[in-house]
């Protein structure tokens, strides 16, 4: 009996997660086929993906780039339907012919299509941590209401998911805490007082992972770990105090679960996102990922450091914000995410220093009054307000 292929929509197909997703799918042409691809502005990359993967639909974020892609596809004689705009991205995420949605749009822009996929009951592979950080309980309520299957793709959360009991009903009774690992990024041993001199190129040079510029900067500040703590709280239904972070420079142990008997289950693998992507695509089965295997005979020592050790609190001051905003009204997580996106963009644009990212995030949190969002419109309005406040701070600092 031939198994029907699962149709996959990749939101953010030209980014690193999207590219890796398509590479994993290429290994299993009998299991998966592309239904839709979406991208922001990378017309050349999207055109090449349309040639290779023959999606039914390709969507660009705006009309100018969409019309460029449409012209290119017509010139190439491709049957792909080309659309553009935010609503078109939402539509393909919830489309009746979509079985699996890989959510890899960077930042809060991915929230609306993720919510649409959740409400439509899709298997939602969440590589966009910001959608859950911004949407919070509203997002989880949409998953429950739609009967969606939510699978984390971040290497840390995928590792936790793989290490937990199979039945979520057992998590509260059996799990003591989860332990997220962090590489420490490129500045793990750098003197905190020297961080004011960091350049965008230095911040984007991650020692272990190949990632986009925004998430690379987040790794350097460890804001990515702060966002992951928030994400883990909602994904796994844990109290904030049940989430711990340790620095693990080798990035071999991707995360751990400590049970109530104090035994620890960990997931190990190479620093390659193809592993968690393959697990999410094929879940509950396992298939070839294309990631290289660990070689224990040559691996060397695995080490761990407390995030509170030595200069780490001064080196990574933004990490503590995770627990602070989780103790605040629910909207605070959306404010933090919006502020950080503005801060990272300002740093990459050389408008603020690297060591000012945390200060901008904290000042934005102080200036924006938060309340519990009751709808997606509330969340988006809070996100927009927070961005305006953060941008005003950037402008003031530049004067």
């Amino acid at each position: 009996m031939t198994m029907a292929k699962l149709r996959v929509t990749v939101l953010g197909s030209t980014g690193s997660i999207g590219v890796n997703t398509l590479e994993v799918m290429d290994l299993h042409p009998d299991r998966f086929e592309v239904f839709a691809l979406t991208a922001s502005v990378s017309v050349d990359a999207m055109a090449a993906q349309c040639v290779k993967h023959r999606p039914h639909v390709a969507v660009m974020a705006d009309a100018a780039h969409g019309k460029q892609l449409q012209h290119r596809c017509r010139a190439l004689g491709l049957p792909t339907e080309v659309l553009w705009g935010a609503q078109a991205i939402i539509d393909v995420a919830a489309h009746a012919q979509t079985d699996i949605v890989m959510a890899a749009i960077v930042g809060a822009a991915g929230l609306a299509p993720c919510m649409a996929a959740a409400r439509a009951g899709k298997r939602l592979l969440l590589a966009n941590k910001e959608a859950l950080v911004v949407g919070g309980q509203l997002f989880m309520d949409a998953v429950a209401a739609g009967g969606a299957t939510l699978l984390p793709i971040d290497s840390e959360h995928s590792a936790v998911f793989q290490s937990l009991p199979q039945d979520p009903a057992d998590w509260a009774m059996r799990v003591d805490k989860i332990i997220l690992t962090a590489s420490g990024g490129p500045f793990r041993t750098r003197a905190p007082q020297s961080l004011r001199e960091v350049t965008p190129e230095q911040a984007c040079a991650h020692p272990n992972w190949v990632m986009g510029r925004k998430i690379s900067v987040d790794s350097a500040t460890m804001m990515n770990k702060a966002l992951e703590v928030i994400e883990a709280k909602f994904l796994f239904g844990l109290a904030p105090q049940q989430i711990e972070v340790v620095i693990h420079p080798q990035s071999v142990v991707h995360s751990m679960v400590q049970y109530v008997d104090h035994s620890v289950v960990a997931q190990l693998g190479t620093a390659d996102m193809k592993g968690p992507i393959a697990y999410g695509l094929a879940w509950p089965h396992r298939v070839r990922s294309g990631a290289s295997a660990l070689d224990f005979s040559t691996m060397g020592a695995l080490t761990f450091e407390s995030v509170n050790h030595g200069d780490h609190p001064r080196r990574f001051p933004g990490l503590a914000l995770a627990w602070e905003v989780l103790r605040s009204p629910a909207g605070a997580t959306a404010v933090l995410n919006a502020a950080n996106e503005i801060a990272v963009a300002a740093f990459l644009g050389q408008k603020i220093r690297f060591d000012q990212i945390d200060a901008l995030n904290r000042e934005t949190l102080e200036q924006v009054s938060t309340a519990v969002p009751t709808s997606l419109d509330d969340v988006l309005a809070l996100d927009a307000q927070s961005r305006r406040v953060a941008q005003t701070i950037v402008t003031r600092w530049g004067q």
Side-chain angles (χ1 to χ4, degrees):
M1 179 177 174
T2 303
M3 181 174 59
K5 293 183 182 180
L6 295 172
R7 289 187 163 189
V8 182
T9 287
V10 184
L11 307 178
S13 65
T14 60
S16 60
I17 294 293
V19 169
N20 278 320
T21 299
L22 293 172
E23 289 181 4
V24 173
M25 290 174 62
D26 284 344
L27 297 175
H28 306 282
D30 57 323
R31 284 179 172 267
F32 310 109
E33 66 175 284
V34 175
F35 173 69
L37 302 176
T38 84
S40 179
V41 298
S42 303
V43 173
D44 290 343
M46 177 62 92
Q49 289 182 344
C50 288
V51 169
K52 182 174 183 180
H53 299 285
R54 292 295 200 272
H56 296 266
V57 185
V59 186
M60 301 301 294
D62 59 58
H65 293 94
K67 290 175 181 178
Q68 289 180 40
L69 180 65
Q70 187 179 64
H71 176 75
R72 191 82 63 84
C73 287
R74 285 175 177 172
L76 293 167
L78 298 176
T80 298
E81 179 183 9
V82 178
L83 305 172
W84 50 82
Q87 187 58 50
I89 297 174
I90 291 170
D91 290 344
V92 295
H95 199 285
Q97 294 187 56
T98 296
D99 299 307
I100 299 174
V101 175
M102 170 58 78
I105 295 175
V106 175
L111 175 58
C114 282
M115 292 281 280
R119 292 186 182 119
K122 305 303 181 184
R123 178 188 297 182
L124 181 54
L125 311 187
L126 193 64
N128 173 333
K129 64 174 65 68
E130 293 89 350
L132 188 49
V133 170
V134 175
Q137 193 57 48
L138 281 174
F139 182 83
M140 295 306 295
D141 290 345
V143 170
T149 300
L150 182 62
L151 300 175
I153 299 300
D154 266 353
S155 60
E156 296 84 358
H157 298 95
S158 177
V160 170
F161 184 70
Q162 294 179 58
S163 302
L164 283 166
Q166 285 192 330
D167 188 350
D170 293 338
W171 294 354
M173 179 177 62
R174 296 177 60 188
V175 173
D176 181 30
K177 65 180 178 180
I178 64 172
I179 305 166
L180 304 177
T181 59
S183 69
F187 307 135
R188 181 177 62 87
T189 60
R190 183 161 172 157
Q193 61 269 25
S194 74
L195 294 176
R196 63 182 291 122
E197 310 299 335
V198 164
T199 67
E201 290 69 28
Q202 291 171 331
C204 291
H206 196 282
N208 298 341
W209 297 90
V210 178
M211 304 180 293
R213 286 169 67 79
K214 195 270 181 183
I215 193 172
S216 294
V217 175
D218 283 347
S219 180
T221 62
M222 277 188 63
M223 181 52 65
N224 72 319
K225 210 55 52 178
L227 298 177
E228 286 169 14
V229 168
I230 298 167
E231 186 182 8
K233 187 267 183 192
F234 291 108
L235 276 172
F236 306 119
L238 298 172
Q241 62 268 25
Q242 290 179 282
I243 306 168
E244 183 179 330
V245 174
V246 298
I247 293 177
H248 170 51
Q250 296 80 20
S251 296
V252 172
V253 177
H254 292 156
S255 278
M256 299 167 272
V257 174
Q258 179 172 298
Y259 285 80
V260 292
D261 62 357
H262 289 174
S263 62
V264 176
V265 176
Q267 189 268 336
L268 284 66
T270 51
D272 191 330
M273 288 304 300
K274 292 188 182 73
I277 288 169
Y279 186 74
L281 284 169
W283 181 87
H285 308 291
R286 289 187 182 268
V287 297
R288 289 181 298 118
S289 68
S292 58
L294 287 174
D295 185 350
F296 287 91
S297 66
T298 62
M299 185 180 300
L302 302 181
T303 60
F304 301 88
E305 305 166 13
S306 167
V307 293
N308 297 314
H309 175 72
D311 284 333
H312 286 334
R314 294 172 56 216
R315 196 175 281 120
F316 307 117
L319 179 59
L321 283 172
W323 291 273
E324 291 179 28
V325 296
L326 286 174
R327 290 192 296 266
S328 303
T333 60
V335 177
L336 174 60
N337 180 77
N340 186 63
E341 288 191 24
I342 296 298
V344 171
F347 166 68
L348 290 173
Q350 298 184 313
K351 296 177 181 177
I352 66 172
R353 300 190 311 268
F354 179 82
D355 65 326
Q356 290 180 308
I357 293 174
D358 175 64
L360 192 150
N361 291 340
R362 290 178 183 275
E363 187 166 336
T364 304
L365 282 164
E366 291 171 0
Q367 291 192 27
V368 178
S369 298
T370 57
V372 177
T374 59
S375 68
L376 178 58
D377 287 342
D378 287 350
V379 172
L380 295 177
L382 182 57
D383 175 79
Q385 178 192 3
S386 303
R387 289 170 190 275
R388 288 193 299 270
V389 170
Q391 192 60 60
T392 299
I393 298 169
V394 170
T395 302
R396 171 162 50 85
W397 286 358
Q399 292 174 344

